[in-house]
């Protein structure tokens, strides 16, 4: 499962629906997510790909504290 947080929206999408397979790097994952969201991949350049121990992914904006 891929949980995407983008511009105030949250959506869960199956990895297979996005075409994400094991071993893909962050850039490739962001490109697949950008295609799904129908936006340019540069809109996700500052986003984090958080890889959970379960194998799920969370695509989210970078957290800024302070």
């Amino acid at each position: 499962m891929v949980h995407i947080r983008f511009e105030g929206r949250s959506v869960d999408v199956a990895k297979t629906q996005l075409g994400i397979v094991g071993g893909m790097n962050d850039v490739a994952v962001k490109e697949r997510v950008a295609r799904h969201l129908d936006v340019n991949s540069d809109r996700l350049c500052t986003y984090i790909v958080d890889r959970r121990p379960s194998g799920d992914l969370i695509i989210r904006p970078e957290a800024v504290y302070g």
Side-chain angles (χ1 to χ4, degrees), residues 2-64:
V2 180
H3 181 76
I4 304 165
R5 297 181 194 156
F6 182 73
E7 294 186 345
R9 297 181 293 159
S10 291
V11 63
D12 291 323
V13 183
K15 287 181 183 180
T16 55
Q17 186 177 348
L18 297 174
I20 294 174
V21 295
M24 282 185 134
N25 65 28
D26 290 357
V27 173
V29 169
K30 290 179 195 181
E31 287 172 354
R32 300 292 172 105
V33 169
R35 263 190 241 136
H36 178 76
L37 297 173
D38 197 26
V39 297
N40 289 329
S41 60
D42 65 339
R43 302 256 316 263
L44 298 175
C45 68
T46 61
Y47 277 55
I48 303 298
V49 178
D50 185 3
R51 297 172 188 274
R52 308 305 302 161
S54 65
D56 291 345
L57 300 176
I58 300 171
I59 313 302
R60 62 174 177 78
E62 185 177 21
V64 179

